[in-house]
């Protein structure tokens, strides 16, 4: 990087934010054909290497298949896929066409999937064989969907095309969409209303690449593994896009999470640079291995780290894990960076400092001016002085976009509270919204509440997050029943199953409290802080 990180930021912007920016070239074709892009590992620890040359050839064939389906620049193509060789091939094929990727988390149920497909206007959805059944017409999926379904592997599914049998059109050069061209259409949950669409342009790759270098300090000789799921921002940005942009080999685990398997992968493949949510580190701590591993770098994102995890990691991983902070709308912005030129002894519990290319502050609660050092306020991003800023607004949601910025447009409001000390280190305090972060996944209470009230016996419902030693937070629901209905373990189980079936398998309430009323403000807004107090008191 050299002595001037800001010069490196300008280099990255020059590479990714020009009129001639081509995602396929930037993420694949410019890298040596024999270099390994990903090592994909199965649950039995067998593994295959995917080189950039193989990735180019296979993604060109898939891009021709998309062209045969009429997919062109700007069209939306969704993926309902686990981490695999096929996933990387499909993504590069989408971007070769100049199309836009719509990620779908594999734990989502049909209603959550259908909403995102319809909101994005998807023309094609590519699904793994064990996921394609969620796309079948029914109560939650349209009988005559506007999208075509493609299934990976050699599986057959009613109404779906097989990936290896797509009607290929003639090969074309990869699309040039420029830095403003859309790369991804991601959806993030909030506290009210439907999930918000976050358009991600090609120029965002400059920010993702910068994070790989500045904060993670991924080097050419590293064995790098980001364990996050690419159905969510941190996994997509930094397990897929960041490594492809920087041309560094990365591991992808094609298996469900377990701490025992994670330990085996760390040891067997000699991982030197590891990134994951705090939940992963807590799970590893609870299932310590027989053989030690020695990491060069360990990083965490999604929620604040607790001191005991940091202390444990220094003893058992060979390095103290560092906290990094960001959002879906920006990627990572404030970090305890690992790069030698940015590495400093940050105070314990600090989020770190803004990365090069970002300017941040803590604003007073009652004015859009910076709060004094040490005073609690609103964590904000300086939109005028952040060269790597790429978020300009939510999809078709001008009111929600306006709420994120101060009236003069100068500051983007993260929705988090914190402070900045006299040395410029940021300290997280709390979210000023009610989004629940469980195992690193953001869950909007509205999404779960909307499902709970579908039950005939439920009049009202509110969902909150309560502390959990392993997951950070877990969902608990407070439910007001209709008429003379009485709460019971059987009804609790029905409501949990309903959320799994209608929203997402990971987002069901671990406990349901049946209450007479919900506490509300005079204007009718549920006071979730009071429900959190009730939940903690109930144990």
């Amino acid at each position: 990087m050299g002595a001037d990180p800001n010069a490196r930021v300008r280099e990255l912007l020059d590479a990714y934010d020009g009129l001639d920016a081509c995602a396929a070239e930037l993420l694949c074709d410019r890298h040596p054909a024999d270099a390994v892009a990903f090592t994909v590992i199965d649950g039995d620890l067998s593994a295959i290497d995917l080189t950039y040359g193989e990735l180019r050839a296979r993604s060109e064939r898939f891009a021709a298949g998309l062209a045969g389906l009429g997919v062109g620049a700007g069209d939306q193509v969704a993926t309902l896929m686990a981490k695999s060789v096929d996933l990387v091939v499909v993504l590069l094929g989408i971007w070769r066409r100049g199309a836009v990727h719509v990620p779908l988390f594999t734990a989502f149920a049909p209603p959550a999937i259908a909403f995102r497909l319809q909101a994005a206007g998807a023309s094609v959805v590519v699904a793994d064989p064990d996921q394609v059944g969620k796309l079948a017409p029914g109560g939650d999926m349209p009988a005559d969907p506007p999208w075509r379904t493609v299934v990976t592997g050699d599986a057959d599914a009613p109404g779906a095309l097989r990936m290896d049998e797509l009607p290929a059109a003639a090969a074309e050069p990869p699309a040039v969409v420029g830095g403003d061209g859309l790369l991804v259409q991601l959806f993030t949950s909030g506290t009210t209303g439907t999930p918000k669409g976050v358009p991600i342009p090609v120029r965002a790759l400059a920010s993702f690449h910068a994070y790989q270098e500045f904060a993670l300090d991924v080097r050419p000789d590293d064995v790098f593994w980001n364990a996050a799921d690419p159905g969510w921002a941190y996994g997509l940005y930094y397990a897929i896009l960041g490594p492809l942009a920087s041309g560094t080999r990365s591991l992808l685990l094609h298996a469900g999470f377990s701490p025992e398997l994670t330990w085996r992968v760390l040891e067997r493949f000699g991982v030197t640079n590891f990134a994951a949510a705090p939940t992963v580190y807590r799970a590893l701590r609870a299932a310590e291995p027989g053989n030690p591993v020695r990491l060069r770098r360990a990083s965490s994102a999604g929620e604040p780290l607790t001191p005991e995890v940091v202390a444990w990691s220094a003893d058992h991983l060979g390095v103290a894990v560092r906290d990094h902070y960001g959002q879906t709308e920006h990627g990572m912005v404030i970090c305890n960076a690992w790069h030698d030129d940015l590495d400093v002894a940050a105070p314990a519990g600090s989020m770190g400092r803004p990365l090069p290319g970002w300017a941040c502050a803590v604003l007073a609660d009652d004015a859009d001016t910076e709060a004094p050092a040490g005073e609690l306020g609103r964590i904000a991003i300086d939109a005028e002085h952040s060269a790597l800023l790429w978020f300009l607004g939510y999809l078709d949601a001008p009111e929600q976009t306006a709420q994120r910025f101060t009236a003069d447009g100068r500051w983007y409001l993260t929705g988090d509270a914190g402070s900045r000390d006299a040395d410029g280190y940021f300290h997280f305090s709390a979210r000023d919204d009610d989004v629940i972060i469980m195992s690193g996944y953001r869950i909007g209470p509205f999404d779960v509440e909307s499902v709970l009230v579908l039950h005939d016996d439920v009049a009202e419902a509110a969902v909150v997050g309560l502390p959990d030693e392993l997951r950070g937070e877990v969902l608990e629901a407070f439910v007001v029943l209709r008429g003379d209905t009485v709460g019971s373990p059987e009804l609790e189980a029905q409501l949990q199953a309903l959320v799994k079936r209608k929203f997402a398998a990971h987002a069901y309430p671990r406990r349901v409290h049946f209450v007479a009323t919900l506490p509300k403000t005079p204007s009718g807004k549920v006071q979730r802080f009071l429900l959190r107090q009730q939940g903690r008191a109930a144990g």
Side-chain angles (χ1 to χ4, degrees):
M1 180 173 67
D4 183 5
N6 291 316
R8 180 57 177 152
V9 169
R10 290 191 293 272
E11 288 178 3
L12 292 171
L13 287 169
D14 288 342
Y16 295 104
D17 198 18
L19 295 175
D20 59 349
C22 168
E25 172 69 20
L26 294 166
L27 297 173
C28 179
D29 300 355
R30 64 174 174 157
H31 301 312
D34 59 350
V36 175
F38 291 97
T39 297
V40 182
I41 305 164
D42 278 320
D44 61 1
L45 299 188
S46 62
I48 59 171
D49 287 337
L50 177 65
T51 67
Y52 281 101
E54 293 168 330
L55 180 55
R56 177 172 184 168
R58 293 180 63 171
S59 64
E60 284 176 340
R61 288 196 294 273
F62 183 68
L66 288 178
L69 295 178
V71 173
D75 289 337
Q76 311 266 338
V77 179
T79 57
L80 187 58
M81 304 173 67
K83 292 170 280 189
S84 64
V85 170
D86 279 342
L87 174 63
V88 183
V89 168
V90 167
L91 296 185
L92 259 296
I94 292 170
W95 296 324
R96 283 190 186 283
R97 293 296 302 154
V100 182
H101 171 224
V102 181
L104 300 171
F105 186 38
T106 52
F108 280 148
I113 294 168
F115 169 80
R116 286 158 177 80
L117 291 175
Q118 291 166 338
S123 58
V124 173
V125 54
V126 186
D128 286 337
D130 63 346
Q131 294 288 322
V132 73
K134 296 178 180 179
L135 301 170
D140 301 312
M141 283 284 170
D144 187 20
W147 56 80
R148 301 291 298 275
T149 299
V150 176
V151 62
T152 63
D154 57 3
D156 290 310
L161 300 167
R162 281 176 44 168
M163 181 174 165
D164 57 2
E165 295 180 348
L166 291 179
E172 298 180 15
V176 174
V177 299
D180 289 336
L182 283 192
L183 191 71
V184 178
Q185 177 65 71
L186 191 60
F187 288 86
T188 185
S189 295
T191 55
T192 59
T194 54
K196 303 183 294 293
V198 179
I200 303 166
V202 171
R203 67 170 177 273
L205 293 172
S207 172
F208 304 157
H209 190 155
Y211 175 71
Q212 294 284 123
E213 292 186 12
F214 296 154
L216 297 176
D217 188 34
V218 180
R219 301 180 184 180
D221 58 349
D222 265 327
V223 178
F224 174 64
W225 182 23
N226 179 347
D229 193 289
W232 296 87
Y234 193 71
L236 179 62
Y237 297 172
Y238 305 118
I240 302 289
L241 288 168
L244 287 175
S246 59
T248 51
R249 170 181 172 244
S250 180
L251 305 186
L252 284 180
L253 178 60
H254 182 58
F257 171 77
S258 76
E260 295 78 15
L261 179 57
T262 302
W263 275 122
R264 292 198 296 272
V265 172
L266 290 170
E267 178 189 2
R268 174 75 64 87
F269 292 88
V271 175
T272 60
N273 197 320
F274 184 58
T279 302
V280 171
Y281 291 101
R282 289 193 291 266
L284 291 176
R285 179 171 174 251
E288 292 182 11
N291 298 317
V293 300
R294 307 298 293 179
L295 299 178
R296 189 180 69 84
R297 301 287 188 248
S299 306
S300 177
E303 57 184 291
L305 286 167
T306 51
E308 66 271 15
V309 170
V310 177
W312 168 85
S313 64
D315 292 336
H316 292 80
L317 299 179
V319 62
V321 61
R322 290 189 178 180
D323 202 5
H324 296 168
Y325 169 84
Q327 295 188 316
T328 299
E329 292 89 341
H330 303 282
M332 309 310 288
V333 294
I334 300 174
C335 300
N336 290 289
W338 279 112
H339 194 284
D340 290 343
D341 293 344
L342 302 170
D343 188 4
V344 293
S350 166
M351 297 159 57
R353 290 170 165 168
L355 291 173
W358 295 97
C360 302
V362 173
L363 302 184
D365 283 331
D366 56 357
D368 295 334
T369 56
E370 295 191 41
E375 183 174 301
L376 193 65
R378 299 169 293 160
I379 299 172
I381 297 172
D382 187 341
E384 292 183 4
H385 298 92
S386 295
L388 290 176
L389 180 76
W390 50 264
F391 175 77
L392 298 178
Y394 297 112
L395 176 69
D396 300 328
E399 291 185 6
Q400 291 177 312
T401 298
Q403 292 171 3
R404 280 299 198 184
F405 289 89
T406 55
D408 61 1
R410 167 75 184 275
W411 301 99
Y412 171 91
L413 305 174
T414 65
D416 292 322
S419 61
R420 182 171 61 175
D421 64 27
D423 295 318
Y425 293 99
F426 285 71
H427 298 261
F428 181 87
S429 173
R431 294 187 305 279
D432 69 4
D433 61 20
D434 294 300
V435 169
I436 300 155
I437 300 180
M438 186 180 71
S439 301
Y441 299 126
R442 290 174 58 88
I443 302 168
F446 176 84
D447 293 313
V448 181
E449 293 161 359
S450 297
V451 172
L452 291 171
V453 297
L454 295 176
H455 195 285
D456 289 341
D457 292 331
V458 173
E460 288 185 287
V463 171
V464 298
L466 290 175
D468 180 79
E469 184 175 348
L470 180 62
R471 299 178 182 87
E473 285 185 303
V474 293
L475 279 82
E476 295 200 7
F478 292 78
V479 170
V480 177
L481 297 174
R482 296 183 184 279
D484 297 328
T485 305
V486 177
S488 66
E490 292 76 18
L491 182 54
E492 179 180 45
Q494 289 178 26
L495 295 175
Q496 291 169 331
L498 183 65
V499 173
K500 292 179 183 179
R501 190 171 71 251
K502 292 289 189 179
F503 177 50
H506 68 293
Y508 72 92
R510 267 51 180 184
R511 186 162 56 166
V512 178
H513 305 266
F514 298 104
V515 295
T517 60
L518 297 177
K520 296 179 182 178
T521 65
S523 63
K525 183 178 180 181
V526 174
Q527 295 175 302
R528 289 192 177 88
F529 74 96
L530 292 177
L531 295 177
R532 284 191 285 269
Q533 292 176 7
Q534 291 181 32
R536 286 191 289 266

